[in-house]
Amino acid sequence: MKPFQRALSLSIALALGSLSLSAQAQVTLNVISGGSQNMVDYVTDYLGPLFEKQNPGVKVSVVGTGPDDAGSQKMLEKLQAQKAAGLATWDTDVIVPNQQKTGEMVQAGLLLKYRDSISTGKYAVSQSAKQALGVNVDGYVMPMFESQTALAYNPDLIKNPPASYDELRSFVAKNPKSFGYNGLKGGMSGVAFVVGWMYAYGGNPDVVQQGPYDAKAQAGWKKAFTDLKAFNQQVVFTPGNAGTLDMLNRGEIAMGPVWVDMFHTWQAEGRLAPNLKLKLLSPGMPGQPYYYAIPAKAKNVELAKKFIALATSPAVQAEGIVKRFNWYPGIDANVVKSSLDAKTWNQLFVDVTPTDLAKFSKPFPLAPFFKDMREQYEAQVQN
């Protein structure tokens, strides 16, 4: 090869190499997260940079859509619009929706069935990895975390805390105004308490949780709500989950239902007395996950799988989910344990053990039952 030709070849090779690097640098993994701002911050501050470090040339971009159904509804509408437009690829690679909207997305054919193709898929062992409020989502999701409600109590005031809804009712009858919760309008911890009450006394809890929807399954609801209305005359209503924790910490109430992660976070921050404890009531109290899912026409499918595999690895679940947020891991806790120090593990699982979670952690009802439950509470109980 003549010198000029060699120089030209080298220039072309360098140019192509430069183009290749440029192309790599332009890869953006687009993530949309529901939930509170802390879930967006988690990707921005921790998970995204970690993924970028392991995958040079990739930029993780995350946008938050807000908590509860409204935030996840925005994702659903975005995917529906792109499907309706007939686009070959969609502009979102990973989504983090709540349970109800995830089920709707699966039913609408908006999500990719990917879990069996990632290395961490085998760790998704919870019921919520298979069912989302009665909809089969098996294979379409990896739980990001499991959030759980439980009864928080002051052991200085209650030596033998209630272990069940029956025992709680007896205790409150003897000690009125010692129990506080935020009802059905003050936030999801209060909603979870009411749902647990209906599982205990409304009849047909398996049908309400797993379906199929049948209004006849509500035959016992009227008495359960009547009893709840009477119970409510003996309790203190609090201004939300934080309000329950504040009143508990000040000694204004002796116990109340709270989100476990907020309880532990506040305790770690010194906002709660260190002696306060948790108890998960029988026959169960609800918890809920947020999911990692991939849109059916995601542009960067393999990168999305890689991102979710990292996010659901034991090490990241230990450091990112348990240590940073005090959430329960979204994957099998037993594989996370070796990545946690004994102090952290015991802090999270000493009051509410993995066995307690397996027995008494319940899902929220199927969406139509949930809607009926809220409406009937409004009509028959209120607060």
Side-chain angles (χ1 to χ4, degrees):
M1 186 179 290
K2 295 180 180 179
F4 173 75
Q5 290 175 314
R6 283 201 299 270
L8 180 60
S9 298
L10 180 60
S11 297
I12 293 173
L14 289 172
L16 289 174
S18 178
L19 282 173
S20 176
L21 289 173
S22 177
Q24 281 187 341
Q26 291 175 0
V27 175
T28 297
L29 187 78
N30 289 307
V31 180
I32 299 180
S33 177
S36 301
Q37 182 60 37
N38 60 353
M39 289 174 57
V40 178
D41 294 342
Y42 173 64
V43 178
T44 302
D45 300 337
Y46 171 69
L47 188 57
L50 183 63
F51 187 72
E52 291 170 358
K53 185 177 180 181
Q54 295 182 5
N55 297 272
V58 176
K59 174 69 178 175
V60 176
S61 174
V62 59
V63 174
T65 55
D68 301 327
D69 287 350
S72 296
Q73 176 68 24
K74 292 177 184 175
M75 299 180 204
L76 188 153
E77 292 172 355
K78 179 179 178 67
L79 300 183
Q80 280 180 324
Q82 295 188 73
K83 181 181 181 182
L87 300 180
T89 57
W90 302 346
D91 63 3
T92 305
D93 300 306
V94 176
I95 60 172
V96 190
N98 71 355
Q99 277 190 300
Q100 180 167 330
K101 297 303 169 184
T102 301
E104 293 179 26
M105 290 182 204
V106 169
Q107 290 176 319
L110 298 173
L111 299 183
L112 183 74
K113 195 170 188 177
Y114 73 95
R115 195 175 69 214
D116 289 345
S117 63
I118 65 174
S119 59
T120 56
K122 59 181 179 289
Y123 300 144
V125 296
S126 66
Q127 183 63 28
S128 64
K130 302 174 183 176
Q131 295 278 331
L133 307 185
V135 177
N136 184 352
V137 296
D138 199 8
Y140 292 91
V141 300
M142 285 290 290
M144 175 185 180
F145 62 85
E146 298 281 353
S147 192
Q148 177 65 45
T149 53
L151 187 71
Y153 69 97
N154 185 337
D156 292 339
L157 302 175
I158 305 173
K159 300 301 181 186
N160 297 302
S164 67
Y165 273 85
D166 283 347
E167 291 183 12
L168 175 64
R169 293 175 70 178
S170 296
F171 181 91
V172 170
K174 296 174 184 173
N175 303 275
K177 306 302 180 182
S178 61
F179 172 86
Y181 82 113
N182 47 314
L184 202 71
K185 296 180 180 176
M188 287 302 289
S189 59
V191 174
F193 176 79
V194 171
V195 169
W197 179 284
M198 298 306 293
Y199 289 165
Y201 303 117
N204 301 308
D206 291 339
V207 175
V208 173
Q209 293 165 38
Q210 305 299 332
Y213 175 75
D214 183 350
K216 293 178 181 176
Q218 303 174 21
W221 284 17
K222 185 172 183 179
K223 182 178 187 311
F225 279 130
T226 299
D227 291 345
L228 180 56
K229 185 172 184 177
F231 175 83
N232 280 355
Q233 305 309 307
Q234 303 169 312
V235 311
V236 175
F237 282 104
T238 67
N241 191 71
T244 302
L245 289 170
D246 274 334
M247 294 181 75
L248 180 66
N249 197 47
R250 292 195 296 263
E252 296 172 12
I253 57 174
M255 57 183 166
V258 299
W259 288 107
V260 170
D261 59 293
M262 183 177 283
F263 176 90
H264 285 306
T265 299
W266 280 35
Q267 226 169 29
E269 294 173 351
R271 300 170 66 183
L272 275 185
N275 64 319
L276 299 181
K277 298 177 72 66
L278 294 168
K279 187 80 177 182
L280 189 49
L281 294 177
S282 167
M285 298 175 70
Q288 61 180 355
Y290 267 77
Y291 294 122
Y292 289 114
I294 301 175
K297 300 290 185 182
K299 181 179 180 181
N300 300 298
V301 170
E302 294 309 314
L303 268 182
K305 290 179 182 178
K306 203 171 181 181
F307 179 82
I308 295 173
L310 174 66
T312 54
S313 62
V316 169
Q317 287 277 301
E319 174 61 33
I321 296 299
V322 177
K323 284 189 174 182
R324 289 174 179 251
F325 286 107
N326 295 307
W327 284 324
Y328 291 111
I331 62 173
D332 185 353
N334 293 310
V335 302
V336 179
K337 186 176 183 179
S338 62
S339 298
L340 290 169
D341 57 84
K343 180 182 178 182
T344 303
W345 175 267
N346 289 334
Q347 181 185 30
L348 199 60
F349 290 109
V350 70
D351 288 343
V352 179
T353 68
T355 302
D356 291 335
L357 288 171
K359 290 176 65 177
F360 303 132
S361 175
K362 304 296 182 184
F364 280 96
L366 264 67
F369 281 124
F370 204 9
K371 177 175 177 289
D372 292 348
M373 202 174 281
R374 287 170 178 260
E375 290 177 352
Q376 292 185 37
Y377 182 97
E378 294 275 343
Q380 300 178 46
V381 183
Q382 293 191 331
N383 59 269

